[in-house]
Amino acid sequence: MKKGFLLLLLLSLGSLAVFSQAYPYVVGDKYVNKQPASKALINSRTARVLTSAKEKWVALKPGAASRLDSNAAAPDLTFKIKAPVAGTYELSTYAMPTNPATDIMKDEKGNPVTTYIKLQVGDQRPTKRILYDAFRRGNQVTGKFELNGREQTVKVWLPEGVQLGHLEWKNYNDPAVPAAAKNYVPKIIPPAGHPRIWVNKQSLSLVQSRLTIGENRQAWEKVTAAATMPFHFEFDINKEIFYREDVEKAAETKAFYYLMTKDEKVGREAVKLMVDYFSVLEFGNVTYGDITREIGRAIYTGSLVYDWCFDLLSKDDKQQLYSHMLKLAREMEIGWPPFMDSIVNGHGNEAQVSRDLLSMSLALYDENPELYKYTSYTILEQLVPMRKFEYESPRHNQGVDYGAYRLGWEMHAVWLYYRMTGFPVFDDNIKQLPYFWLYMRLPDGYMLRDGDMFNVKNVNGKRPYWKQPQTMLLCASYANDPILKGEFEREGGLPDNPVLFLLVNDPALKADHNLNSLPLTKNFGHVLGGLVTRTGWDNTPDSKDVIAEIKGGGYHFANHQHSDAGALQIFHHGMQVGDIGLYLSYGSPYDYNFNKRSISHSMMLAKDPDEKWLFRAKDNDGGTRFNQRFPMSPAETTTDPWFDNGQVLSADFGPSAQKPAFSYFKADLTGAYTAKMTNYTRGYCFLNLGRQDVPAAIILTDDMTTAKADFKKYWQINTIQPPVKNGDQLVLSNELNGHVGKTYVNMLIPAAASRTMEILSGKAANSNFDEQFDIKSDKAEANAHRIMISPSAANQHDRFLTVFQMTEGDAAPLPIRFREYPSYYLVGLADQLVCMSTGSELVNTAIDLDIQANTKVTLTGLKPGFWTVKGPDGKSRNFDIRQGKNTLYFEGVAGKYSIMPGRAY
């Protein structure tokens, strides 16, 4: 319906005979035919015409029952349609409740009701479609239908309580194919013959040889029992059904069993089951619940049966499976060809392409190589280079939950190409990415907060445990990594998917559950800057470990990523400082104006009263730019300032790489804000004090200059339990498994007399400067606390210096020693002395120290090059300060020290 369509359309309109007095017209290259319900053939025994000021409607007569479920009932309405040419057309309906006062139809309990209409086009099978629901009200895209270009009837059966205004037909055109994809010649093509999905002729024997070894034996016994058990699928070819996961699972299991054993009886059961299932499967116009995931799973299952049981397929079986998979592919969000969405981010970065359409294109490659051309173009030319760039920082920009979920689907593509070709097509940096989740793990079973989080829900008061075992299985097996396999086992394994387990699990790879071999600090690099610092790897509820994170610098990739550049999190027997937003629904006013915004995070705000926001975000929270547009390539990411999320200036830890005494991070976050920010840097130094009473401390610096002095600055931290004022000090606390942890917060600059503080608690904390939100949730974040500190005077330039001490129970915090110099601060705690640069400039002046006892000295923010440390013994030592690290560490005895730029000879 592309070349010549407009000419055929114009010729046909002159002789168009439409029974219902339709109004056909042309919009661009679109054929549009609006058919008022009142002009259709109306069954006078069941339906009637209603008139309003704007339109005539047709509804069931009072007392007439809906006959949607009757096979023999005469239709309530009959339309006629003659399409200008044979092809695919999209049908929409317009309806409204018969009660004009009703906006959303509800049942007797007040719950929204979805109302359906039944349609039959020509002699096609009748189908039920949504006519009215709470999501799209009465404007529904009913679906795609094949019209033959000749006069056809459209029979309609109406529901109760809704009146139909009109039907509207439009020609449907497939998504446009980019020129680069049209001309694409894949460098990697599927091998000849089958199988191709998950195994090829060479790797098939490897999977077969592992079936009864070690932990694989139990999974194989489960597959064997399920595959050899008859599965009874009752269906009526004249009635459509919604998806059934049990049918798909049975077909997949039987197909896999045939692939492994060549048991023809079981293999033929798989083929018949899939062909029968496809013959009645209909998703209709359901859009709720991200239904494209279920559509994709049906395609994937059909692809497995087609590929694994290929030698059992008749010509008709092949045609049936082929046509049904293509039909389903057109119903996915990304569409077919797969260019209605992007594979780089969003739902397009889930199973749609990386598993479902890729599997389909591999299975059907001989029948239609174009399927593989388009699918491999999106994966190999768009996704692979983007991930090579992004995963230079070994963390996922979509956060803990969506990151793990989407990585799991990418790992399907990783594996499918690897098994098909025998070599990797994704960069090897993907093997390091899963360590992000190991470092984010908390002793309460959850994770440090990052992005929209949905995984963990409180069930019957039991402590939740975060898990994505399918992703961990695919990652551990691909990387052949015993530590990642240990994480997979801690998450409970994959008992409900023995087929996938057997396809990839190597029983010779033994899980390592001991994380103590990992360094306690993880630097995430420059693409997604941040540092996670820990005092240990005891992830049990009785753990005394402190886990903290500072983030900022790199790029912003939108969607589920938050506006949280510079955010601080601290965990010690529960969250002490962190994020109090909740992911309740995507794109809601609360989501776009609080949850994803800076205001719900522990970070700096600067309020420009005239600042404007995009992407349906209307409230001014004073934070970093809110972004819902993502980059499509590494070049766009690095050159478009819209994606600028600041720059990592320094990151280092030591002196031990395994158990560092200090962990340092500094970022210039100016780019993350709008032009209201002239300059802003945040510095962070985590000290592992090695003590029972005060296991760790954090020194935090902020240096901020705004475009105008009257742009008020807010130094903000959020906490779960009510904070306690203790003079000029704040005391935060939390408890886990009967163990109490406290965090003592001492702001040294600005001084108490030069600052103001406001604490918002409970419901009041769920607010920005413009709006308060009513949050219904049993999670602690819904009734948390925001602490906001501002300088008393209005200045363009302000500095903040804060010390956090995490203590065990009622242990007292350590005394703080502090001195301020023009370019640096000196902060002392116990046997530690730390130098922190005051602003954005690196320290390039002499530093004189007078140490009273044996002390661990950490100097940060130093200019790169050689520095000399001259001690009380008169001897000088040279240190080479590296660009991007900017730190110097030594252990000194009592006496005076002079640290100077340059090298002594």
Side-chain angles (χ1 to χ4, degrees), residues 111-223:
N111 299 314
V113 171
T114 297
T115 304
Y116 293 85
I117 193 173
K118 186 165 77 171
L119 302 161
Q120 185 178 22
V121 178
D123 58 359
Q124 298 174 26
R125 183 172 58 215
T127 180
K128 281 187 182 179
R129 301 298 167 102
I130 295 173
L131 180 63
Y132 196 95
D133 64 10
F135 300 98
R136 288 175 172 78
R137 304 293 199 275
N139 289 294
Q140 300 285 338
V141 177
T142 306
K144 303 176 186 69
F145 295 87
E146 296 302 316
L147 300 181
N148 58 23
R150 300 186 297 275
E151 188 173 84
Q152 294 173 273
T153 60
V154 180
K155 299 174 182 177
V156 173
W157 289 261
L158 295 170
E160 298 172 23
V162 178
Q163 53 192 1
L164 178 65
H166 62 257
L167 306 182
E168 187 170 86
W169 293 93
K170 297 179 181 179
N171 65 293
Y172 173 79
N173 292 320
D174 289 332
V177 178
K182 282 183 181 178
N183 302 322
Y184 182 60
V185 179
K187 299 182 180 68
I188 301 168
I189 60 172
H194 297 267
R196 300 172 183 144
I197 302 174
W198 287 110
V199 292
N200 58 21
K201 291 176 181 178
Q202 290 72 38
S203 55
L204 175 59
S205 59
L206 173 67
V207 176
Q208 289 171 321
S209 70
R210 293 171 172 175
L211 292 175
T212 58
I213 299 175
E215 67 258 24
N216 284 17
R217 177 184 292 275
Q218 185 177 1
W220 176 240
E221 290 172 351
K222 185 180 290 188
V223 166

Side-chain angles (χ1 to χ4, degrees), residues 435 437-441 465 481-487 490 512-520 534 536-539 658-659:
Y435 280 90
W437 288 275
L438 271 63
Y439 276 89
M440 298 292 276
R441 172 76 71 184
Y465 193 83
D481 191 318
I483 291 179
L484 296 181
K485 187 168 185 178
E487 177 62 21
R490 277 190 299 276
D512 183 355
H513 295 99
N514 186 354
L515 299 179
N516 289 317
S517 62
L518 298 178
L520 291 175
R534 311 175 65 100
W537 285 105
D538 180 5
N539 283 330
Q658 200 72 13
K659 295 183 178 180

Side-chain angles (χ1 to χ4, degrees), residues 116-415:
Y116 293 85
I117 193 173
K118 186 165 77 171
L119 302 161
Q120 185 178 22
V121 178
D123 58 359
Q124 298 174 26
R125 183 172 58 215
T127 180
K128 281 187 182 179
R129 301 298 167 102
I130 295 173
L131 180 63
Y132 196 95
D133 64 10
F135 300 98
R136 288 175 172 78
R137 304 293 199 275
N139 289 294
Q140 300 285 338
V141 177
T142 306
K144 303 176 186 69
F145 295 87
E146 296 302 316
L147 300 181
N148 58 23
R150 300 186 297 275
E151 188 173 84
Q152 294 173 273
T153 60
V154 180
K155 299 174 182 177
V156 173
W157 289 261
L158 295 170
E160 298 172 23
V162 178
Q163 53 192 1
L164 178 65
H166 62 257
L167 306 182
E168 187 170 86
W169 293 93
K170 297 179 181 179
N171 65 293
Y172 173 79
N173 292 320
D174 289 332
V177 178
K182 282 183 181 178
N183 302 322
Y184 182 60
V185 179
K187 299 182 180 68
I188 301 168
I189 60 172
H194 297 267
R196 300 172 183 144
I197 302 174
W198 287 110
V199 292
N200 58 21
K201 291 176 181 178
Q202 290 72 38
S203 55
L204 175 59
S205 59
L206 173 67
V207 176
Q208 289 171 321
S209 70
R210 293 171 172 175
L211 292 175
T212 58
I213 299 175
E215 67 258 24
N216 284 17
R217 177 184 292 275
Q218 185 177 1
W220 176 240
E221 290 172 351
K222 185 180 290 188
V223 166
T224 300
T228 54
M229 181 183 297
F231 187 92
H232 300 288
F233 176 49
E234 303 288 341
F235 71 99
D236 180 348
I237 193 62
N238 295 311
K239 291 184 179 180
E240 63 193 21
I241 68 168
F242 205 39
Y243 75 90
R244 280 182 49 182
E245 191 173 356
D246 62 331
V247 177
E248 295 170 5
K249 192 170 184 179
E252 177 185 2
T253 303
K254 289 177 181 293
F256 179 73
Y257 187 79
Y258 173 70
L259 180 68
M260 294 296 110
T261 66
K262 291 301 175 184
D263 184 324
E264 287 197 16
K265 177 178 179 295
V266 175
R268 294 189 187 282
E269 288 176 355
V271 173
K272 185 177 188 308
L273 188 56
M274 204 68 225
V275 171
D276 288 347
Y277 178 59
F278 271 168
S279 72
V280 290
L281 177 63
E282 178 58 66
F283 287 88
N285 58 335
V286 172
T287 57
Y288 55 80
D290 295 327
I291 196 66
T292 199
R293 293 166 180 166
E294 281 70 34
I295 296 172
R297 190 179 62 209
I299 295 171
Y300 173 65
T301 308
S303 303
L304 296 179
V305 172
Y306 194 101
D307 183 57
W308 292 348
C309 303
F310 183 79
D311 54 349
L312 300 178
L313 299 177
S314 68
K315 183 177 180 180
D316 186 59
D317 292 334
K318 292 177 185 176
Q319 180 57 41
Q320 289 294 320
L321 293 175
Y322 177 95
S323 61
H324 283 295
M325 283 191 278
L326 261 293
K327 176 178 177 288
L328 290 171
R330 297 170 90 186
E331 298 300 324
M332 299 179 84
E333 269 186 270
I334 205 162
W336 185 264
F339 300 110
M340 286 175 64
D341 205 345
S342 169
I343 194 174
V344 169
N345 207 338
H347 288 176
N349 182 229
E350 295 179 357
Q352 293 186 73
V353 182
S354 291
R355 182 193 66 175
D356 306 330
L357 296 181
L358 176 58
S359 296
M360 181 184 78
S361 73
L362 294 177
L364 304 178
Y365 179 72
D366 296 326
E367 291 72 20
N368 186 352
E370 190 175 76
L371 305 176
Y372 177 76
K373 180 175 81 168
Y374 291 157
T375 304
S376 61
Y377 170 79
T378 63
I379 295 174
L380 299 179
E381 303 304 319
Q382 295 179 331
L383 184 64
V384 168
M386 191 63 174
R387 294 304 185 254
K388 180 179 181 180
F389 165 73
E390 289 177 63
Y391 295 163
E392 289 176 19
S393 281
R395 69 183 300 158
H396 203 289
N397 62 61
Q398 294 298 284
V400 164
D401 274 349
Y402 277 95
Y405 180 72
R406 291 178 178 172
L407 173 64
W409 301 124
E410 284 181 15
M411 290 305 301
H412 279 72
V414 169
W415 269 102

Side-chain angles (χ1 to χ4, degrees), residues 104-113:
I104 300 175
M105 298 186 66
K106 298 181 179 180
D107 60 19
E108 62 277 3
K109 296 182 179 179
N111 299 314
V113 171

Side-chain angles (χ1 to χ4, degrees), residues 449-730:
R449 286 34 167 180
D450 191 10
D452 289 334
M453 299 187 70
F454 62 83
N455 191 295
V456 177
K457 292 177 172 54
N458 297 327
V459 181
N460 299 325
K462 292 184 179 180
R463 184 174 292 114
Y465 193 83
W466 185 96
K467 56 184 177 181
Q468 279 282 1
Q470 178 173 287
T471 299
M472 289 303 161
L473 168 67
L474 295 171
C475 291
S477 301
Y478 182 69
N480 199 38
D481 191 318
I483 291 179
L484 296 181
K485 187 168 185 178
E487 177 62 21
F488 164 69
E489 292 185 354
R490 277 190 299 276
E491 293 180 15
L494 203 64
D496 296 330
N497 197 344
V499 170
L500 183 62
F501 182 75
L502 291 168
L503 282 168
V504 302
N505 184 61
D506 180 1
L509 177 65
K510 302 305 178 185
D512 183 355
H513 295 99
N514 186 354
L515 299 179
N516 289 317
S517 62
L518 298 178
L520 291 175
T521 295
K522 182 72 171 178
N523 173 23
F524 290 106
H526 292 263
V527 177
L528 284 168
L531 211 66
V532 171
T533 48
R534 311 175 65 100
T535 59
W537 285 105
D538 180 5
N539 283 330
T540 66
D542 293 321
S543 171
K544 296 182 178 181
D545 290 346
V546 176
I547 301 101
E549 182 200 37
I550 187 72
K551 65 166 57 174
Y555 305 95
H556 200 287
F557 297 91
N559 198 206
H560 293 288
Q561 186 179 0
H562 288 191
S563 301
D564 58 359
L568 173 71
Q569 295 190 78
I570 304 171
F571 180 97
H572 185 221
H573 299 306
M575 290 302 299
Q576 302 277 345
V577 174
D579 174 9
I580 60 170
L582 293 171
Y583 182 51
L584 303 177
S585 63
Y586 190 91
S588 68
Y590 167 77
D591 187 48
Y592 273 11
N593 293 290
F594 188 82
N595 172 52
K596 286 182 170 67
R597 300 285 289 280
S598 305
I599 195 81
S600 69
H601 301 78
S602 296
M603 55 186 286
M604 289 290 301
L605 311 173
K607 184 85 183 305
D608 171 4
D610 297 323
E611 188 167 5
K612 304 301 180 185
W613 304 90
L614 301 175
F615 310 105
R616 302 202 317 270
K618 63 184 180 66
D619 295 342
N620 188 343
D621 74 329
T624 60
R625 281 177 290 110
F626 178 61
N627 179 23
Q628 285 292 285
R629 177 170 70 89
F630 58 85
M632 300 290 293
S633 68
E636 184 183 12
T637 310
T638 56
T639 58
D640 187 338
W642 177 256
F643 306 111
D644 183 1
N645 213 31
Q647 180 184 3
V648 177
L649 300 175
S650 307
D652 194 22
F653 52 92
S656 165
Q658 200 72 13
K659 295 183 178 180
F662 77 90
S663 301
Y664 173 65
F665 181 85
K666 190 161 189 176
D668 182 339
L669 303 174
T670 311
Y673 295 79
T674 62
K676 69 183 178 183
M677 194 69 66
T678 303
N679 187 64
Y680 171 45
T681 57
R682 171 162 271 198
Y684 166 96
C685 188
F686 181 93
L687 299 175
N688 185 346
L689 299 175
R691 299 169 62 110
Q692 293 292 322
D693 56 345
V694 188
I698 292 171
I699 304 169
L700 190 70
T701 66
D702 293 284
D703 183 88
M704 179 177 281
T705 304
T706 52
K708 294 182 180 179
D710 59 357
F711 291 176
K712 191 171 181 179
K713 304 175 184 71
Y714 296 89
W715 181 97
Q716 177 175 276
I717 56 172
N718 303 324
T719 189
I720 298 299
Q721 300 299 329
V724 175
K725 290 183 183 179
N726 183 16
D728 296 336
Q729 187 179 66
L730 279 170

